[in-house]
Amino acid sequence: MRAMTGQPAAAGSEGRRGAAAPRPGAAPGRPPLPGQPGRPDVFTFGETMVALRGSGPLKLGGTMNVSIAGAESNVAIGLARLGHDVRWAGAVGEDEAGQLVLRTLRAEGVGVSGASTDPGAPTGLLLFEPRLPEVTRVHYYRAGSAGSRIGADVIQRAFSAAPPRVLHLTGITPSLSTTARAAARFALQLARESGSLVCLDVNFRARLWTAEAAAEVLREWIPFVDVLIASDDELPLCLPGDGGGEGSSGGGEGSQGAEGATGGLRVEGAGAGMGAEGAGGGPARWASEQEEATTAGAGACGDAVPLPPQEAPGDPAATVAAQARLLLAQGVGEVVVKLGAEGATAFTHGGSLHRSAKPVRAVDAVGAGDAFVAGYLSALLDGEGPAGRLERAVTTGAFAVASPGDWEGAPTRAELGMLGAPPGTVVR
């Protein structure tokens, strides 16, 4: 672990948005958190779908396991297992699939009283197709799904009932539809008014919208964000600039902006670049879902905007640091960069801190990025500093990559120390 390195506070960060200015008692380098009694720890919303996981190529048939999956609900489950009061809102169809979504979240201790049932649309579906030991194809069936039709009324009810300490958003929800985008924007406004801390995980999906469309929305959101979490190739989408970059390959099949987000079949490589040191389950390090995206998607992010003037040519770490400084200058309180097999780095106005990834035996990298976010927010809610937040985040990410499924391997608080046990340990 590298020590904190002193950096001057970014210019223009003071008083960036009135009600969201640093709260009394906030420690330097630590995003402020409201602490009023009765406020849930975290509120998040988005689309959660029924997930079918095949045993091999779909065209050959075989068996499938049934579960649920959704970036925001994955984070919610991870936080609930760590003992936090977390609420999830979304829309599901008036069908058995929707009941499975709500039943699973309730069973995991996630509050779903703000969720709604849409009788006019089905619950979304996604299929996981293992194709190679390190490559999984993901097929989305979400055209006109209930989850894509979430509206601002759901957000209003949630904040009226109890404003959360933390609002967690991802860049997936605004890609689903214009109504979902408006709901997310409304949530940001309510978070500002209620003093909730805002955490944004960029979670760019080139199959859902173009880099240009994502950049337009994310840059508008940046002034509201306290904690920004992104992979290194997603940072340019958030930087001030003149668009998502010409020739961006994010505009490939199905990348039609917000209206095309629910348009039929979507396929993403889910295993490329996962950082495993051997396809057969050898030692590996957790990797975020972004590193599992197709090469086209990664290129779209990386070429989205011109690199900032502070970059050092040929030095990726210096480029990331320069980009983080630009975002801090835009008013973000903390920038957390997920680096896959290399771990993660947090940048604050007080400096930067890196934490290496945890070595684990790789089983399934899908969902590791969401587990990382859950661990980071958990430690933040517990009042931990940057070192403690990164340590818990890489730990929960490692649990995810060592287990099959999007959220099934998320640890409880009592299990966090198990990664340090020597091989062959039996807990009796």
Side-chain angles (χ1 to χ4, degrees):
M1 183 185 303
R2 293 200 291 265
M4 292 290 289
T5 56
Q7 295 177 356
S13 61
E14 295 82 2
R16 62 186 172 100
R17 44 178 212 249
R23 301 174 182 91
R30 180 174 305 166
L33 277 172
Q36 291 89 331
R39 299 183 70 158
D41 289 334
V42 178
F43 169 68
T44 188
F45 67 96
E47 180 173 30
T48 297
M49 297 166 283
V50 167
L52 301 181
R53 293 179 175 274
S55 57
L58 289 175
K59 64 185 178 183
L60 300 181
T63 61
M64 303 196 83
N65 292 324
V66 183
S67 184
I68 69 169
E72 298 84 4
S73 57
N74 292 346
V75 172
I77 290 173
L79 284 163
R81 288 193 178 181
L82 292 170
H84 298 285
D85 179 5
V86 57
R87 317 285 172 87
W88 173 88
V92 296
E94 199 172 76
D95 47 34
E96 293 299 299
Q99 289 303 306
L100 173 63
V101 169
L102 298 179
R103 181 178 181 273
T104 302
L105 292 175
R106 288 193 194 100
E108 289 294 330
V110 175
V112 295
S113 61
S116 61
T117 300
D118 186 341
T123 302
L125 170 69
L126 75 161
L127 305 178
F128 290 93
E129 178 190 17
R131 196 62 191 88
L132 293 170
E134 294 186 19
V135 178
T136 297
R137 292 194 290 214
V138 182
H139 307 266
Y140 292 101
Y141 295 86
R142 62 203 311 174
S145 67
S148 70
R149 292 164 35 146
I150 188 172
D153 56 329
V154 173
I155 311 305
Q156 180 69 69
R157 289 196 300 269
F159 273 82
S160 297
R165 298 175 67 197
V166 176
L167 167 67
H168 174 62
L169 297 176
T170 77
I172 295 175
T173 298
S175 74
L176 299 179
S177 66
T178 54
T179 56
R181 182 182 302 182
R185 180 61 176 80
F186 184 53
L188 289 170
Q189 183 63 39
L190 292 182
R192 170 189 287 185
E193 295 171 358
S194 62
S196 301
L197 180 142
V198 175
C199 174
L200 170 63
D201 183 4
V202 172
N203 246 332
F204 176 71
R205 293 293 184 268
R207 298 285 181 171
L208 296 183
W209 56 350
T210 65
E212 291 87 350
E216 180 180 358
V217 171
L218 294 171
R219 288 164 185 164
E220 178 191 354
W221 287 11
I222 284 300
F224 294 87
V225 176
D226 295 291
V227 178
L228 177 69
I229 300 179
S231 58
D232 53 351
D233 61 352
E234 291 173 332
L235 286 180
L237 292 174
C238 304
L239 296 174
D242 56 2
E246 296 184 3
S248 167
S249 55
E253 177 188 355
S255 297
Q256 305 167 18
E259 295 302 326
T262 57
L265 177 65
R266 302 289 181 256
V267 184
E268 292 186 1
M274 64 186 286
E277 297 178 23
R285 300 181 187 274
W286 73 267
S288 73
E289 289 185 77
Q290 284 68 43
E291 279 92 30
E292 302 152 29
T294 60
T295 302
C301 284
D303 297 333
V305 294
L307 292 172
Q310 297 96 326
E311 74 161 325
D315 186 348
T319 296
V320 168
Q323 292 171 338
R325 286 195 296 270
L326 284 179
L327 290 165
L328 292 172
Q330 290 290 306
V332 177
E334 183 165 332
V335 178
V336 184
V337 183
K338 296 179 289 186
L339 301 170
E342 300 303 318
T345 303
F347 298 88
T348 71
H349 295 291
S352 63
L353 182 68
H354 180 80
R355 186 70 175 90
S356 298
K358 300 278 186 177
V360 295
R361 186 176 296 275
V363 174
D364 183 357
V366 174
D370 300 327
F372 176 95
V373 173
Y376 200 88
L377 287 180
S378 171
L380 175 63
L381 288 160
D382 286 351
E384 296 283 351
R389 299 199 291 267
L390 285 173
E391 172 65 22
R392 190 172 301 177
V394 297
T395 298
T396 51
F399 267 94
V401 92
S403 308
D406 273 59
W407 52 268
E408 285 83 350
T412 64
R413 190 171 290 259
E415 292 172 332
L416 287 173
M418 292 180 64
L419 283 183
T425 296
V426 178
V427 180
R428 302 183 186 277

